Amino acid sequence: MARLVVVSNRVPIPDKSGTAPAGGLAVALQSALEARGGLWLGWSGRSCADDAVGPLQMQKEGNIEYALTDLTERDVEEYYQGFANRVLWPICHYRLDLAEYGRREMAGYFRVNRFFASRLLPLIEPDDLIWIHDYHLIPLAAELRRQGVTNRIGFFLHIPWPAPDVFHAMPVHEALLTSLTAYDVLGFQTEHDRENFADCLSRRDLAARLDASRFATDGRVFTARPYPIGIETEEFAALAKRAAQTALHKRMLQSLDGKQLIIGVDRLDYSKGITQRIDAFESFLTRHSDSQRKVTLLQITPKSRSEVPEYEAMQRAVAEQAGRVNGALGTVDWVPIRYINRSLRRPALAGLYRMAKLALVTPLRDGMNLVAKEFVAAQREEDPGVLLLSRFAGAAQELKEAVLVNPYDVEGTGEAIARSLAMPLEERRERWSAMMTTLRANDVFTWCDTFLKDLAAKPVQKARPASVSTPVRTSEARTQPLRKAMSTPVARWS
Ligand code: ADQ
């Protein structure tokens, strides 16, 4: 079996204390790396002055070598906070209105990708399979090809791929699309995302479609397919079962005092539809006043990306909104919404999912949404809770037996909450068991194996640089090889 090299923006270094079990994705990738032997490279999360980036920090755990690099403050500002989180993230989540294009940030994004390529280059062995993850690193394969790498390289996009009219609004869209054609296998969360990507390619005439999954460009063929990501289904179910015995679980049950628990779990992000969800919950309580004092919504929302102004503003908006609903509808002994801004450990989360009668998973747009899958896996077979799921989450393509809603339709979602809470046991069991069958058939280990099998089946590329043009504007000494590309005219940006 070929060695596996994984590259992602952040790297989940194992927690030696064992107190914070990693999420499903990290577990699956680590087990693939452990089996094949491998390397995982990414950003250390630290930033430093321009001339202070040191050597890679290497750490070996069993069969896996972790390689971490620092970035400069400018890198973090331009590549991570700038282009990745203020252009690509909003664009891929259909928020053209929030995208802030800046040439400096766009150039920084390509420059840091080139830097990652230069860090990875000396570590690559001839037969390695290279698997690159997510929107931070789209041009990485093109940079590696430019530096002579002929290995098989795959890419998986964890977030949605938008329709061409949205993607093409981004000034640098053509360079990004072209750089994706340097991969051997491109993985998307859903068929819909893959089709959007295929439409983008065809509108720009960048590749010829050979069949559903294969595309030809520049004398080579690459694959683009949906690989819906799963969770560690059986392990998560067992975790939830064990969590029900803990003291925390008992305290929580006590504090509910017989009220039904409705749960929402999301990173604080505008794509997650949290404000629309609270509006829907308020609408439900107002139109079904007999339910007041009988339910509690627990919204667990750790802050993320607080350095981006929209996130800071959203944090205030959600807190105010929850406070307003609690003020308007709450009583001395009943708080309708418990709003918590912290991350919970996985066992605690699993136990809360299991206790809940209903989960509100209502993103306005989401690549997959693993919370939906975790909630289902955590349920009790004999008396499962109901999953209320946005049609705009990738998970809705698989979990068709959830109660599917349009999160923009606040009153409709409010009515769906009422229907879900009243759903008879038999219907809940039927829906749950169908969803559980899906989750068992496609868990995160199957997802990982399927992708790697497809990648391993690809032929090794011929030794020649890919004709990928990447707009660049940099004078970084550590990115020497791209002098030529640096002369790319500014017109490419717009
Ligand atoms: P995220 O946007 O982070 O991921 P999601 O898939 O819902 O979204 O969650 C990822 C993980 O974070 C889950 O395992 C969940 O349990 C955990 N998590 C969320 N809130 C938490 C909390 N309060 N405390 C502890 N853990 C919490 C991106 C894409 C998604 C895609 C995933 C995986 O945006 O669409 O599903 O990658 O590909």
Side-chain angles (χ1 to χ4, degrees):
M1 244 190 326
R3 191 176 82 131
L4 176 61
V5 173
V6 173
V7 189
S8 57
N9 178 54
R10 296 303 304 275
V11 180
I13 300 276
D15 173 7
K16 286 194 183 128
S17 70
T19 52
L25 171 64
V27 171
L29 289 176
Q30 273 154 352
S31 91
L33 284 160
E34 189 63 48
R36 295 166 169 265
L39 171 75
W40 194 332
L41 180 137
W43 175 34
S44 63
R46 283 185 294 272
S47 58
C48 54
D50 266 14
D51 53 359
V53 175
L56 282 173
Q57 300 132 46
M58 306 297 292
Q59 183 177 326
K60 180 115 179 145
E61 301 283 338
N63 230 356
I64 311 173
E65 188 112 48
Y66 294 91
L68 301 180
T69 180
D70 294 346
L71 292 175
T72 69
E73 279 144 23
R74 180 176 152 218
D75 287 341
V76 175
E77 200 188 309
E78 296 173 359
Y79 145 83
Y80 179 68
Q81 295 164 7
F83 193 70
N85 286 339
R86 296 175 86 168
V87 179
L88 282 173
W89 180 271
I91 286 280
C92 290
H93 291 86
Y94 288 74
R95 291 299 303 266
L96 274 170
D97 57 319
L98 295 180
E100 293 176 39
Y101 311 108
R103 291 182 181 191
R104 198 168 68 93
E105 287 74 15
M106 293 196 239
Y109 177 78
F110 286 98
R111 182 187 69 241
V112 171
N113 269 273
R114 203 155 53 240
F115 174 62
F116 273 118
S118 68
R119 296 242 100 168
L120 187 60
L121 198 60
L123 305 176
I124 299 172
E125 292 167 15
D127 289 331
D128 285 349
L129 290 181
I130 304 175
W131 192 1
I132 294 165
H133 286 261
D134 229 359
Y135 62 103
H136 312 89
L137 300 173
I138 289 173
L140 187 49
E143 292 300 342
L144 289 167
R145 300 275 183 238
R146 207 189 305 282
Q147 297 184 34
V149 172
T150 56
N151 295 55
R152 287 157 293 185
I153 314 181
F155 177 79
F156 184 76
L157 183 69
H158 290 259
I159 65 175
W161 188 280
D165 284 346
V166 176
F167 195 75
H168 290 178
M170 184 167 33
V172 77
H173 68 272
E174 198 164 329
L176 289 173
L177 279 169
T178 310
S179 66
L180 279 167
T181 66
Y183 288 94
D184 295 296
V185 177
L186 292 171
F188 296 93
Q189 297 276 26
T190 66
E191 179 73 37
H192 188 69
D193 295 323
R194 190 266 302 271
E195 289 309 309
N196 280 341
F197 171 70
D199 289 348
C200 286
L201 285 181
S202 94
R203 281 216 207 165
R204 285 288 173 269
D205 204 16
L206 289 172
R209 192 164 191 172
L210 304 177
D211 57 29
S213 318
R214 290 181 318 132
F215 297 78
T217 182
D218 198 24
R220 47 179 294 274
V221 173
F222 66 90
T223 296
R225 261 197 57 181
Y227 298 87
I229 194 168
I231 57 164
E232 70 283 40
T233 310
E234 297 303 346
E235 293 76 0
F236 202 85
L239 189 67
K241 206 168 179 178
R242 284 199 302 276
Q245 315 301 325
T246 60
L248 171 77
H249 195 87
K250 287 175 188 144
R251 279 206 309 279
M252 180 66 194
L253 261 183
Q254 229 171 22
S255 86
L256 280 174
D257 193 21
K259 294 176 188 63
Q260 292 191 312
L261 179 64
I262 303 178
I263 196 166
V265 176
D266 319 75
R267 264 184 321 98
L268 184 67
D269 194 288
Y270 47 79
S271 65
K272 302 290 184 185
I274 300 171
T275 54
Q276 290 81 353
R277 180 183 313 166
I278 294 178
D279 284 343
F281 183 61
E282 184 182 18
S283 160
F284 155 71
L285 288 176
T286 311
R287 293 161 72 113
H288 298 267
S289 54
D290 53 323
S291 292
Q292 292 186 17
R293 304 170 55 80
K294 293 189 185 136
V295 296
T296 293
L297 169 61
L298 173 63
Q299 177 64 47
I300 305 172
T301 303
K303 289 187 202 174
S304 67
R305 306 177 191 166
S306 333
E307 67 290 342
V308 179
E310 288 81 39
Y311 287 77
E312 196 53 43
M314 212 185 100
Q315 154 64 11
R316 278 195 304 276
V318 176
E320 276 169 25
Q321 193 190 8
R324 188 185 54 71
V325 174
N326 284 340
L329 298 176
T331 59
V332 284
D333 59 349
W334 174 59
V335 181
I337 304 174
R338 299 188 194 181
Y339 177 53
I340 295 174
N341 271 152
R342 69 178 61 172
S343 186
L344 294 188
R345 303 231 302 266
R346 286 177 78 70
L349 203 55
L352 289 170
Y353 287 144
R354 193 174 175 89
M355 194 183 295
K357 295 287 169 219
L358 176 62
L360 304 183
V361 183
T362 54
L364 303 178
R365 197 63 67 169
D366 217 333
M368 178 53 65
N369 197 299
L370 296 182
V371 168
K373 295 188 168 182
E374 291 166 356
F375 174 79
V376 172
Q379 295 310 299
R380 286 180 296 147
E381 184 174 0
E382 61 284 7
D383 187 13
V386 177
L387 172 65
L388 190 142
L389 179 61
S390 162
R391 294 181 185 285
F392 306 124
Q397 301 303 312
E398 288 173 278
L399 302 179
K400 295 188 192 306
E401 297 81 10
V403 174
L404 296 177
V405 295
N406 172 358
Y408 294 96
D409 175 7
V410 166
E411 287 179 14
T413 306
E415 288 309 301
I417 293 177
R419 267 201 322 282
S420 302
L421 287 172
M423 190 182 286
L425 176 62
E426 197 182 336
E427 183 178 349
R428 281 189 278 129
R429 288 181 64 169
E430 271 169 23
R431 287 176 184 255
W432 176 81
S433 124
M435 290 191 282
M436 211 44 194
T437 304
T438 306
L439 294 187
R440 286 193 172 112
N442 184 31
D443 68 5
V444 72
F445 302 102
T446 310
W447 167 80
C448 189
D449 289 348
T450 313
F451 187 96
L452 288 175
K453 203 164 135 251
D454 285 359
L455 184 59
K458 285 280 174 184
V460 173
Q461 296 223 346
K462 291 194 193 91
R464 67 186 174 91
S467 63
V468 176
S469 52
T470 312
V472 183
R473 186 170 62 81
T474 180
S475 55
E476 293 282 299
R478 62 197 165 84
T479 54
Q480 298 282 346
L482 281 183
R483 291 266 179 259
K484 196 160 161 250
M486 283 163 62
S487 62
T488 307
V490 165
R492 271 203 76 81
W493 295 105
S494 49

